[in-house]
Amino acid sequence: MTPTASPSAPTGRLRGSLGTASIVLMVLAAAAPLTVVGGAVPLGIALGDGPAYPAAFAVCCGVLLLFSAGFCAMARHVRRAGAFSAYVDEGLGARAGLGAAFLAVATYTAVQVSVYGYLGVALDTLVRSYGGPSAPWWLWTCGVIGVVVRRRQPPFCSGSRRSPSAWASPANAATPRRRPPPHDPVASPPPRCVYASRMPDRELDDTVRARLTRLAPPPVAPVDARGDWRAVEDTLGTRLPADYRWLVETYGWGEFADVLYLRTPFGTSPYNHVDRFRPDTAPGPLLVWGGSIDADRLCWLVSGAPADWPVVVRGRAGEHETYAGGTAVFLEGWLAGRIDSPLLGAMEPDLAPWFNAFRPRAHRCLRLSQGSADHEERLRRLREALAPTVDRGAWRADDGGAGQDHFATVGTDWLLTYDMTRPHQIRVGFPPEDGDRVRERLFAAVRHMGCRVVAVTDAAGVSLPAWGGAAG
């Protein structure tokens, strides 16, 4: 989990902060359909059916109202990020969902081609109207495409995927690291088959527990880790594996290494539950017990005794991988690097995993002046002032002009992201009761970096007159 993640939902959801330029461009994009209305409506009234033309808007409004009723009703059942194809997938199956996604891609591609062509003609007309030179439309179009491609931004999500941590000294934080790219199931789908796994014996013994808790130490106070197991199993109509019960009671609701989510059957959050799932492409009935930041599902194949249920990783496009050995053995094998999953990918080399509980957190973003030191020196001073800390990985743009560094404090469980630029800022998530202590130490750390705080915002990007309360 990252400093800017909401405690009420898995961190695969989008999170972070938008700059002024991003907000302006987003508003312009949202207002773009108004140009269609402003241009087409007068022509439609003049050349079409006159007063009957506006009636079409009333008909469209009725259709959209009917659509919105179904859309809102489905929203409570679709708990993963994605476009409308995610709803089609949930209601009609993986094949229909994938078809809807490809249809959307084809449609938007056609729109893009048309828009770029139109821009070429419009720019040529505009330039000539001001006495400028005439040029082929396609030359203007290529220029616009070049501007769009050149405009590159760092990831919107703070703490992008594959951000494992290692017990490291603050001095090690300055080492630039590059994150592996997320798996693209459409561009390179793994085969729909059972992958062989190299895991220990089926029996959940003290050795497996010790290895897992050593790799990823459990939280002191697990979230949603206690409840009525009998009632849960009566609702599901089956007993649950013993190793899963141990995982829930030991770790609770949270995430491993910013990639894998562990759900529990307790609590009130709509994002935390165990439920049945039977897609068209699965090998049989599934129970979902977790997920990934890329919206993959972690399931059991419900076949035979609970102790014999294999783990099934089901991707967004319907592909799946099956691993024998049980839940705890699967997690320990993936964290230790013994399981090679094309869907989940591998952890970043040379970093150790961790577990973060989905506990309530307050969030603050400190916009900073640039200061005289370079980024690596500022990062070293920041972690020195907050020591001891543990590494949570880093990201760098190809040109080295942008990047993020992720780390956490030891003992206090403060989660931090330090953005190199665009904008230069520190984002922190912390237990609400630590608000005053976080403010004192962070402001001192900023002074140690040779910078100054120019603005403070909450998780939603709302400016605060000072530090503000610790609830936001």
Side-chain angles (χ1 to χ4, degrees):
M1 191 163 61
T2 65
T4 57
S6 168
S8 60
T11 56
R13 303 180 71 189
L14 294 179
R15 52 204 184 268
S17 60
L18 289 174
T20 302
S22 299
I23 294 175
V24 170
L25 292 174
M26 183 174 65
V27 171
L28 289 175
L34 293 176
T35 61
V36 178
V37 176
V41 170
L43 292 175
I45 294 176
L47 304 176
D49 296 329
Y53 189 84
F57 285 85
V59 174
C60 293
C61 179
V63 173
L64 289 175
L65 286 174
L66 291 174
F67 170 81
S68 63
F71 185 81
C72 292
M74 280 284 292
R76 71 186 66 180
H77 303 290
V78 180
R79 301 184 178 90
R80 54 198 173 102
F84 185 63
S85 58
Y87 290 76
V88 179
D89 186 326
E90 192 77 23
L92 301 178
R95 289 188 179 90
L98 189 60
F102 274 110
L103 178 62
V105 170
T107 302
Y108 280 107
T109 300
V111 171
Q112 289 292 316
V113 171
S114 303
V115 168
Y116 279 121
Y118 171 75
L119 280 174
V121 175
L123 282 174
D124 180 56
T125 303
L126 178 66
V127 171
R128 285 192 290 108
S129 69
Y130 282 93
S134 178
W137 67 267
W138 54 265
L139 194 60
W140 295 106
T141 296
C142 291
V144 171
I145 293 174
V147 171
V148 172
V149 172
R150 182 67 182 86
R151 177 64 176 170
R152 302 180 64 182
Q153 292 286 351
F156 176 71
C157 279
S158 72
S160 54
R161 73 166 289 162
R162 318 297 186 228
S163 56
S165 69
W167 296 98
S169 64
N172 294 334
T175 304
R177 297 188 178 94
R178 202 176 296 275
R179 298 180 187 277
H183 175 71
D184 184 350
V186 176
S188 56
R192 301 172 186 266
C193 64
V194 175
Y195 287 85
S197 59
R198 291 175 288 177
M199 292 190 282
D201 189 81
R202 290 298 315 265
E203 192 72 23
L204 178 68
D205 54 19
D206 291 339
T207 302
V208 175
R209 300 187 188 196
R211 284 202 300 261
L212 181 56
T213 53
R214 184 171 61 252
L215 279 170
V220 176
V223 175
D224 292 345
R226 296 289 188 272
D228 189 341
W229 284 103
R230 177 172 296 181
V232 169
E233 292 173 340
D234 287 345
T235 300
L236 294 173
T238 180
R239 288 186 58 80
L240 295 175
D243 61 344
Y244 172 72
R245 295 177 63 147
W246 173 80
L247 283 167
V248 168
E249 294 171 356
T250 304
Y251 286 94
W253 182 34
E255 63 183 356
F256 288 93
D258 200 28
V259 178
L260 302 185
Y261 303 142
L262 175 65
R263 300 182 185 178
T264 81
F266 309 123
T268 58
S269 172
Y271 302 100
N272 185 30
H273 60 285
V274 175
D275 60 355
R276 292 189 175 274
F277 179 64
R278 184 156 190 167
D280 297 336
T281 57
L286 302 177
L287 273 178
V288 182
W289 56 266
S292 81
I293 197 171
D294 282 341
D296 307 306
R297 287 182 171 94
L298 302 179
C299 318
W300 296 295
L301 175 59
V302 182
S303 177
D308 299 322
W309 292 351
V311 170
V312 175
V313 181
R314 184 184 185 273
R316 293 168 294 174
E319 66 274 49
H320 62 270
E321 306 165 356
T322 305
Y323 299 90
T327 317
V329 174
F330 170 79
L331 289 173
E332 189 274 333
W334 186 84
L335 292 171
R338 292 195 305 274
I339 291 181
D340 180 16
S341 168
L343 281 175
L344 300 177
M347 293 187 57
E348 190 173 350
D350 303 324
L351 292 179
W354 76 93
F355 182 86
N356 273 338
F358 287 143
R359 59 182 298 183
R361 293 182 186 276
H363 306 279
R364 291 292 181 269
C365 175
L366 277 62
R367 300 288 177 88
L368 308 178
S369 64
Q370 201 65 26
S372 58
D374 61 20
H375 174 76
E376 304 304 336
E377 175 61 19
R378 294 195 304 264
L379 175 62
R380 186 195 66 78
R381 295 178 185 178
L382 172 62
R383 294 190 62 167
E384 181 179 67
L386 299 176
T389 63
V390 290
D391 196 11
R392 293 288 168 89
W395 169 85
R396 292 290 184 273
D398 293 337
D399 60 6
Q404 298 171 337
D405 293 273
H406 315 286
F407 61 96
T409 58
V410 176
T412 54
D413 196 25
W414 304 344
L415 309 178
L416 296 102
T417 291
Y418 180 37
D419 292 289
M420 178 187 297
T421 183
R422 303 180 189 173
H424 181 215
Q425 61 185 6
I426 300 171
R427 287 176 278 173
V428 57
F430 53 91
E433 61 271 16
D434 289 353
D436 292 339
R437 193 152 55 110
V438 173
R439 180 189 185 283
E440 180 181 352
R441 292 195 62 186
L442 263 186
F443 275 66
V446 170
R447 290 192 296 271
H448 185 57
M449 295 164 64
C451 304
R452 60 184 178 85
V453 177
V454 297
V456 179
T457 69
D458 62 12
V462 177
S463 295
L464 301 174
W467 181 252

